Structures are given as structure tokens and as C-alpha cells.
Amino acid sequence: MSTAPFTNLFLQRMITFIHTADWQLGKPFSRVADEEKRTALRSERIAAVRRIGDIARAANAGFVVVAGDLFDSTQPTKSTISAACDAIASLGVPVYVIPGNHDHAGPGSVWEQPFFVSERRDRAPNLHILLEAKPVESDASILLPCPLHRRQSMEDPTSWIRDLDAATFDDRPRIVIAHGSTVSFAQESDEEDGGRQPNLIELAKLPLAAIDYVALGDWHGFVQAGDKAWYSGSHEIDRFPKTGQTPGHVAVVRASRGAPPAVEAHATGRTRWLTHAETFATDTGPESLKETLNHLVGNTDRSLTLLKLSLGGSLGLAGHATLEQIVQSWAAGLLDLQLDRDVAVAPSREEIEALTQRAGDPLISSVASELREQIDRGGADAALAGTAIALLHEFVHAGGTR
Amino acid sequence: MRLLLVTVKNFRMHEDLTVEFDRIRTLVAGPNESGKSTLLEAIKRVLFHPHRSKTGLEEIKPKAGGGPPEVTLRFERCGRTFTIRKVFKKAQATAELIDETTGERFSGDEAEAQLRSLLALRGGTLSQAVYGWSHLWALQGEATDNPTGKDSLTPAEANRLNARLQSLTGTTLTESNVDSVTYQRITDEYKDSYTSKGVKAGSPLAAAAAELIAAQAAAATAANDLAELETAADTVIREEDAIRSLRQTSAIAQQHLATTLASLTTIEQLEETLQREKDELETAEEAYQQLHKGDREIADVSESLKALRQGFASQNEEIANLRSHEQRMQNEVTSAPNVTSRAFAAREAAATTRDLLSTLARLFDLETQRVDLETKQAAIERVSHKLTAIEKSLRELPEVDRSTISELEDLDRQRQMGIAKLEAIATRLEVTCADVAVLIEGEQLTDGTSRTLADAADLRIGEGTTIRIIPGGGQSLAALRVEIADLESRLSRRLKELGVASISAAREDHESRLAADVESSRLQEKILDLGGKHVATRLTAVKADIEKVEAEITRKTPAGFVRPTDTTALEAAIQTAEEGQRQAERSVEQANAAYDAAVAAANAARVNRETAEQKAVEQATAVRNLEIKKAALERAYGISREVELRRLAGLVQVAADAQQKTTRAIAALSPDLTRSDKQRFEMARDQHERQIKDAELRLAGAKAIVGKTGSVDLHGVKAAADARLAIATRRHAEVLRRAEAVRRLRDLFDTRRQHVAELVATPLRMKVAEYLEALYGPGCRFSITKTGDGFTDLQVARPSLGGLDFEFENLSGGTREQVAAACRLAMAELLAGEAIEGGSGGDACLPVVFDDAFVNSDPDRLTAVHRVLELGARRGLQIIVLSCDPHEYAFFPAKRVDMPQPAWGSSLNEGDARPVA
């Protein structure tokens, strides 16, 4: 995080504000099976908004810019709207917002809904929705909002600024607020439905000399996108980050007319999104996994941690039973466990023999032998036979017989 | 195990009965209710019931009182001989077992334990009955039951047989306790998920599947709702653009329409001018044409008038000719009647002559008739004279007819008969020789004299002899004489009445009378032939006619008429007259024809003349009419028609020129195209308006959808629904996988168990089949399925029935008892083998008992049954047959034991002798 030096000399010309984006309030987190945990995840996003207020106050920020996707949807529920308005009100400074692709200002958008309009007016008078692509002059700055009116627009939302006559503006810093992918990140758009290139922002085509900061939204990690352009990233993590991404931050921006902005990332996120992969080779694997997970999560509250766990390889019948136990414990304790389990049933020779060579139990031996032959033959049937032999193991050992 | 000797005391009806069994074949014979079944029950009780068992104790006590029931059985087991004695009594029951080989004695429970050990009976306490192989005994009334069925085989017996079968097929096949428990767990879980019909309702699998379906539906609904929202948002943008664009286009169309409308106004004005000009031209042309037409008409009328006048002159000449011709014809008609009158007169004269001649002919004819009639009249008179003479002679003869003669003859015959009778009665007295005086009625008869006596007479012979002779018995002679006298008197009186002397005279008179009658008839007939009375009448009439005809002729005869004198002349005259008549007729016809022709000619001439005159009148009228018409036309069209015609032609030309000019002006403005333009622009305008209205409607609809606010975030709902679907899919796959794995396990266990069960049942199948072949011949098949705790599906196939499998329950009673016997023998053989293995030395024998077990089998089949029993015996079994009809087992060489007569009469029925369960 680079910190531009500044002195009192520039104070009267310099402004400090918070650049944030992609709050995506009301995000359903549908992949989380547990309803309680989904609710918790949604609440964390509201709580993180309130924490922005602490940073704003600490940094003496004059206002907050939200570069799109304040809501996760164009039709957030009333409770989400109310919670959002309350949290925004708690920030205590003006909050300027443009619609992003998730909450675009197309027909029927949240922004024109009577409930939102009245809630904003009554609960969050400091909230300003910039629905038009035209300069907005605030006390200390000139905002150049690039709102989205459609989920996907093939037109560069900043194109209106290219022909802007900057001569009419005074020396207040000029801040572009936009939402979309920049050219530099075209190939790695963070949108989940990426691939095509809608809402493409061509930074190079902007009259950068006339602009002092470009506040970008859409990409969920904190990252500099150009000379004066930054993505603040999401204020609270909402997905398992790609390598190198730093979501869960806001940018504290100090900008002045004609000077490069000073941008600092401040952490606001509380949830942890961890990823781990393990391939089993022996039945001791599950025990070792248990230790690894303990180490990975450490002392952190498990209930604020989400884990994406990929398991592969193969385990014997006993190993499977142990693994199942571990998985169940972590699935319950974590905020979410996304399990990608592709562990083959590979009973050990001993395990199979323990079933097939039961001299006293001819029926079990004979069935187990038949299943072993089916497994050995391979094919689709082998998988079912594998499950069946594991079950047979389970049934034989249920109730503690032997 | 062999039963050797049994003694039963105080057991039901048996006070004290001892039966000794053959080691191999025993036939216990005895009538019904002699206690055979009770004997069997006693053996079962001593073997399988503990002495202290109170079960059925009351029933086995003797009805008549006495000591407690007691059974002593001597048997052989594995080469050793034992005696078991049990006294069944509530309080003081006892049991005693003696090993006769070793002399060891056991009593009480020890005896029971020892016995059970000997019989290898397992399970149950010492106070409970435990059966080992009682199913091998076909009890009375149960012979047709399936011996492998649940009702016949106790669980202990089934286990025992099963264990024996398993030991025969190998110990590895047995199912361990762990096997059973595991199988049960698998089955339980399988049944949690599946029923015989598929997935079980309410099971986790069904719930997962239901949740999957619900999640799919929810995801589809959510996607649809969201798509609807997004479509509506797109629609708002699209329709707003469309409306804007349409309004622009519509404005341009309106401008085009205004220009077109102006152009159309000009065209319409020109068209009005053109119409006016057309009207003017039409008027001018009409006036010209009218005058031109009148002129032509007048010329035509003048022409016709001229022609008519010429024709009229020639017509008058023709009429004059026709009049003179008509006059000539009239004259001819007037002269024709004279000729006709002459012809009529001639015809009249001829007819008169002919008529006169006909009258003459009638006269001639009448004359001839008169002559003929007069001749006949004379003949009749002659005959009438003769007739009168005959009738007179007839009146003089007496009135004797045929009946009168018969009456007289009858009377005479009766008289004759009376006399004959009298003579027949009369006695002839003849004195052939007399030495004394013979007097009859005082009249002496001498020798050679005779007398006929018709009346009673006294005959005096000699002096002292008087004989009264009474011919015919006496009285009748007198009566007969009276009758004869009466007849004679009646005959003479009748002759007097008739006036005849005798009967023969009467006969002659009668003959004469008949002849006269014949003659009279003949003469009368002749008179009739001649005509009788009619002749005179007709003669009178003919004469009168002659007079009338003569008068007529006189009256008709004209002067100078030569009257023919004979017939020939008359006929010639008639021919001549008829010829004259025909000629006169022809003249009349000719005259009439001539007259008719003249009248017709005259009429025709008159008609021709009148037609010609009529025609002349018509022509005159036509001429007059034309003259009037011509005058009228000339008045109407005037005299100076040529000048007027030229003026009108000039007017026509001027009007036509003006019209042409206007037409060109209109064409220059392309009125059709302009009108179609107007229509086109109007339609376009309407269409734009409609499109705008439609777009506005769609816009309103879409705005209504996107304007909906609420507590539902459709994006969120869709994401949630998708996630739910993913979870449900995963969950269902997991549950299904486990359920299928459980099913796989269950299938494998079932298959394995079935395989084992089949293997285990094999020795039994083979053994039974051997006995069945002894019964039904080779090719028999016996199948049975082993279940966990017994057997099921007993089926038999026999070659005689096409080798088809029959369920035991579907067999006939006879076949059931035979198959059951085969099963019992087979099971006995198998279980007997067990004894060898279990004991030392072993006897490989078990007693198999058949208590009246073949009552349904026919004699032929009984022979086969003997063979089967013998087969069992030869294979080492002890066969004991109880029968009320020992003759049926004549070919089964068994030791026969006869039951004693029932001790207590027959008050007990067989039901009392049923074994105690």
C-alpha cells in the first residue's frame, strides 16, 4: 500500500474520502446449505459497512464513494434496504453511490422504488444516488459518475467523459466513479459470468490530465488499475479469493487537483475464506488432515471462517469412516465448508480379507467375495460395488460385533 | 431307534395292553375304535412328553377310573436296548429309564434327560414336550397333510431336518449368527427405502427424490420469474425507443398525406368540370339523334303508304271476280233439288211394288196352311168317333181292378187252406178185418171199409167197446170249420157286390177293361199327334188372316198390276221388284251427293269473297293510319329539318372538344396514383397509431412488472433456488447411492441364501424322488424350496401326467397321502442317518408309522404303496402300519398284531384318541 506524502501546505486543496465498492448487500450466498449461516454471511456485509465509518472518522474522510453494486440485486428486499440505509446513515458523511451491474438503474430498479426512495429520505439523507452521467459538484470535489443502466452494456460507461469540457470546472479534484472491467483486466474479469466484455472501461481513452482519481468497482480485490485508477475491492470478502487478491478492504484516498492521488487500503472484512486441498494415499490421511485444518484455522473463530476443501485420492473402509467423522465436525463448526470430495473407496487387502475370509460367516464372506469381483471388474458397476462393500463393512461392524 | 415292545396301562380305553413290534415290519390290525391311535399316542407321550407334563393329562385318564396312565416302552437305540416307563399323574408322576445293556437305571428328571440325550432332542425345558421326529408318523386323519408344511413340522423338527441336510451338504453353507444379524440389518435398511413395488413412500430416498423434484420446480420457477423481470426491463427500454421512432415516422407520413390531399382537391374539381362537360355533350348528341331519327321515320312512312295504295287497287278487282263465281255456285244449289225429288219418287214406287208382292207371298203361304189344317181336322174327327165307342164299352164292364182281384184271390186262398187243414186233421178209419160189429157213430163198418173222421166220433167195436175218436185233439176242428164258413160267406158277398159270378169271371172282366184302356190311350195319343184342339183354333185364325191379307192386297194393288197366280211367278216378280228398288236407291244417293257438292262450292265461294272484302277493308284502314302518322310526324319534326340537323352537329363537336381538354388535364395529375397515395399514407398513419398504442400497452405492462416492489429479491430467490437444486441433487445422489448399494447387498445376500437353501434341500429332493419312482415309475420329479425356518413350494411331477409340476395342495387325496408317505420315508431315512453319526455303532433306523394312512388310495395304487413301504423297510427303517382293514396289506409281509376288543365297549369315539399337542 503506497502512501503518498502530503503536507499541510496542500490541506486546503486536498480532500480525503473513502473509496469502496461491491458491497453487494443482500447477497444470498446460496451455495451455503445452512440457512442460518447464509443469514450470518449477509449480516457480516452490513456490519462491515458500519466499520467503514470507523475508518472514515479515523482518516477524517469528507465523504464516501461507492463505485457500484451497493446491492446484490436490482430488487433487494425491504429488510436489506432498511438495514443498508441504517448502516449508511451511521457513516456520518455524505455517501455517493453509482448503480453497478448488480443494481443497475434500468427499468424497475431499486433506486426508483418508492420504498427505497422513502427509506433513503427518512433514514439515510446522507446517501446520494448518482443516476445520471453528468458532473456532480460537491463542496470539495467534482464527481463524474458513470452509472450503469443495464446489467450489461456494450458501451463504455465512461465514454461521456471523453468529450467533457473540463474548462468549466474549478480546481476541485475531479473524481470519476465507474463500474466495470478495465482493459488491463479484460482477460480476468472478476465477474462470475465473465468471458464476454460488457461494461468495458477503456481508461486510456479518458482525459487523464483533467481527472484526479478514478474510483472503480466490479473487481473484488484491492488493486491499482491505472495511473490514477484503483479498484477498492469488496469491503467484506464474499468468495474464495484468487491468488494475490486482497478483498475485504476500502481505499482511503487523498486527492487534489493536478496531483497524483494517495491511496491506502484499510481492512474492513472479518470473515476468512480459506482453501485447502488434500490427496489421500493411506488411511492415516484423515488424521493428518485433521491436524492440518486445526493449524490452518488456528485460533480464529471457526464460525467466521469458510473453507473450500478439495479431497482426492483413495481411502480404505476405515479411513473413509474417519474422514466422514472429521468432515461432519468441520461442516458443522465452520461458517461454511465447501467440500469437493472425490475420494475413492479402496478397501485395503486386509479389510477385504476381513470380509471375504470370515470362516465362521459364510454368507458375508461369499457376498463380500462377489462384491470384490465386481470391484475388480471395474466400470460403472464397480463404484456401486465399492459403496456396497463399504456399507457391508459398516453393517458388520455396527453394534460392535467383533 | 426301533420300537420293540410297548405296554399301556390305564391309558384312555386301554386297561392293560401290550404290543410287541417286529424289528422291521409290523401290521397292527384292529377295527375302528379298538385303540390303535391311542396306542400310538401313548408311544408319543412316553417318548416326547416329560412324565410331569400336565398337558392333556385329563384326557388320557381312563374314563372308568383305576390307576394313573402308565406307558412302558422297550426300544433299541444304536445297538443298545432301553426301557422307559412313565407314570403320568399330577402329583406322583414317575419316570424310569433302564439301559438293559449296562443295567443302569435312571429315574425322574435324570431319566428324562437321559432319554432326550438318547433321542437327540434339543431345546425346551424338562417340563416341556419336545418332538424329534413325530412328523414321520402319519396319524389318522392327517395322512393327506403336507409333512413338510408348517403345521406338520415343529420348529425343532424343522431345525433338526435342516441341520441334517446341512451336514449332508457341507458345513460351510450354514448361516452364522453374524450372517443373520448382518442380513437383518441390511434388510431393515433396504425396507426403509424400498417396498416390493419400488421406492417406499416417506423413506429418506423418497424424500430426497421429492426434494429434488421440488427444487427443480423451484429453480425453474425462480429462473422464469427472474427472466420475466429482466425481459420486462428490456421491454421498457425497447418499447420506449420504438415509440419514439414511430412518432417520428408518423410525423413524416402526415406531411406526405397533406400534400397528397391538396393534389386530390384539384383533381376532384377537374373531375366535376369533366362531368358537366360530359352532360352537355350528351344532351347535344341526344337532340341531334332524336331529330335524325324523326326524319328517317317520316321517309319510311311515306314509302309504306305508297306501296299500300298500289296493293289496294288490285284487291278490288279480285273481289268482283269472286262475287260472280259465288253467284254461279248459288244457281247450281237451287237446281239440284228437282233431280233429288225424282229419285225419291222412283224409290217409293219400287218399294210399294215390293211390299205388294210380299203380301201376296204371305197370302200364298196362308192358303197352304189352311189346306193342311183342314186335312188334319178331318182325321181328328174320325179318330174321335172310335174313341167314343170304346169309352162306351168300357163303362159297361164291372169295376174290377187288380187289387179287387187280389182281394178275392186272397179270400179264396184262405178258404182253401182252411179246408186243406181240416182234411189233414181228419182221421181215416179202415176196417181191415172184423169179427165183431164195428160201429162208428152208430154206423157199422165192415171189413175192408173205411171212414174218414173229421169230427169226434164214437167207435163201437162189438158190444161193449166204444172208442171215442177225436181227430186233431178235438176243439180246433170246429173253429176251423167256422173260419172256413166265414171265408166262404165273405167271398160270396164280395162277388155279389162286384156283380161277377166268380173269380175267374172277374179276371176276364179285368182283362177286357185293360185292353179297352190301352186302345183309348192310343186313340187319344193319335188325336194329340194330329194337333188336337189347336187345329181347329189355328184353322179359324188362318182363315181370318187370309181375309185380312186379301183385303190388304185389294187395297194396295195399283191399276194395271198383273197379279201372279202361282209361287214361281211371284218369286220372279219379287226379284224384279227388288232390282228396281236397288236402282232407285242408287239414283237417290247420286242426287244427294250432287246437291251437297253444289252447297259446299257455293259456301267456299262466299268465304273467299268475304275474306277478300275484309282484307280490302283492313288495307284501307292501314292507309288511313299511315296518313295520320305521317301528318303527325311532320307536325312534330317540322319542315326545315336539314338546317336544324346541321346546327346540332356543330354543338356536339364543341362539347366533345371541351371534354377532351379536361380529360387530359386530369390525366396529367395521375388521379389513381394520388388516390392510392392518400390511402397508403392514411393506412400508414393508422398503422403507426396502432403500433404506438400497442407499444404503449406493452410498455405499461412491462413497467407494471418492473415497478413491483416487495420483500422478494428475484435474483436472490433464483440464486437460492439454484443452490437448493444443487444441494438436493447432491443429497439425492448420496441417498440413492447408499440405497442402491443396500439393495445390491440385499440382492447378493438373497441370491446366496437361496442358493444355499436349494443346495441344502437337494438330498431330500433326491431321496423323495426315489420313493416316488417306486410309486409312479421312473421320471418322477420332486421339488421343494428351503426357507429360513422350514420348507415351502412342495411340487410333484409325474411322467403319467405329462411331467407337469403340481402343487402338493392341488393333488388328489390319494396322491397326497402317497406323496406324503414318500416324504416321511425319505425324511426318516435322512434323519436315521443322523443317528449313526450321533451314536456309537448306530442303527440307521427310525420307526415310521402309518395309521390308516392310505384310505384314499385305490387297490392298484395300494400295491405301489406296499412297494414303497417295503423299500423303506429294506433301507433299514422300521415300518409300523395300523389298519382297520388288514386285508389291504396282504402283500406287505409284516408281523400282524391284532388289537384286543375294546375293554369299555365303543363308547369312545376316535376323536378321543387324538394325540395331545
Side-chain angles (χ1 to χ4, degrees), chain A residues 26 28-33 38 72-78 102 104 106-109 112-115 149-151 339 341 345 358 360-367 370-371 374 381 383-389 391-392 394-402, chain B residues 171-183 185-186 189 229-230 232-234 236-238 241 705-724 727 730 734 736-742 744-745 748-749 752-753 756:
Chain A
F29 292 101
S30 322
R31 289 182 182 177
V32 177
R38 289 203 293 268
D72 186 60
S73 150
T74 55
Q75 292 192 316
T77 62
K78 286 178 177 171
H102 275 260
H104 64 82
S109 76
E112 61 189 31
Q113 281 181 13
F115 183 75
H149 285 87
R150 298 190 184 187
R151 174 170 275 266
L339 187 60
R341 176 160 50 172
V345 179
R358 296 171 76 89
D361 306 323
L363 198 53
I364 292 170
S365 310
S366 129
V367 170
E370 173 64 29
L371 284 171
Q374 289 176 2
D381 211 35
L384 184 60
T387 310
I389 206 163
L391 271 175
L392 181 58
E394 182 186 321
F395 283 126
V396 169
H397 292 93
T401 315
R402 298 205 182 185
Chain B
T171 48
T172 52
L173 295 171
T174 29
E175 187 173 307
S176 75
N177 189 41
V178 176
D179 281 336
S180 303
V181 169
T182 304
Y183 176 67
R185 285 177 187 147
I186 290 166
E189 183 161 335
L229 177 73
E230 288 178 343
D234 288 349
V236 170
I237 294 164
R238 195 176 62 242
D241 285 353
I705 292 171
V706 299
K708 270 190 224 157
T709 61
S711 54
V712 180
D713 171 7
L714 292 179
H715 292 281
V717 169
K718 181 176 183 299
D722 288 345
R724 179 185 168 193
I727 290 163
R730 201 166 59 235
E734 279 169 12
L736 181 64
R737 188 176 173 78
R738 184 176 175 100
E740 283 182 339
V742 168
R744 167 70 56 92
L745 279 176
L748 287 172
F749 269 84
R752 193 67 200 152
R753 292 179 96 230
V756 169

Side-chain angles (χ1 to χ4, degrees), chain B residues 93-223:
Chain B
T94 60
E96 187 181 32
L97 178 74
I98 303 166
D99 183 341
E100 294 185 4
T101 316
T102 62
E104 278 180 289
R105 282 171 179 270
F106 307 93
S107 61
D109 286 349
E110 201 184 357
E112 292 287 1
Q114 203 62 34
L115 179 66
R116 288 196 177 184
S117 165
L118 277 172
L119 299 181
L121 299 177
R122 281 180 285 270
T125 66
L126 286 180
S127 59
Q128 288 172 316
V130 177
Y131 293 93
W133 23 257
S134 66
H135 56 96
L136 303 183
W137 297 2
L139 303 183
Q140 196 176 45
E142 295 174 4
T144 57
D145 292 353
N146 181 353
T148 64
K150 278 200 166 166
D151 295 339
S152 306
L153 211 54
T154 64
E157 287 166 344
N159 277 338
R160 188 168 189 160
L161 182 60
N162 191 22
R164 175 66 187 140
L165 286 169
Q166 287 192 349
S167 79
L168 283 170
T169 48
T171 48
T172 52
L173 295 171
T174 29
E175 187 173 307
S176 75
N177 189 41
V178 176
D179 281 336
S180 303
V181 169
T182 304
Y183 176 67
Q184 193 55 47
R185 285 177 187 147
I186 290 166
T187 305
D188 288 349
E189 183 161 335
Y190 171 80
K191 284 179 179 168
D192 284 346
S193 299
Y194 295 102
T195 65
S196 59
K197 287 172 184 167
V199 175
K200 184 179 171 183
S203 65
L205 181 56
E211 167 58 13
L212 179 58
I213 289 164
Q216 282 166 341
T221 307

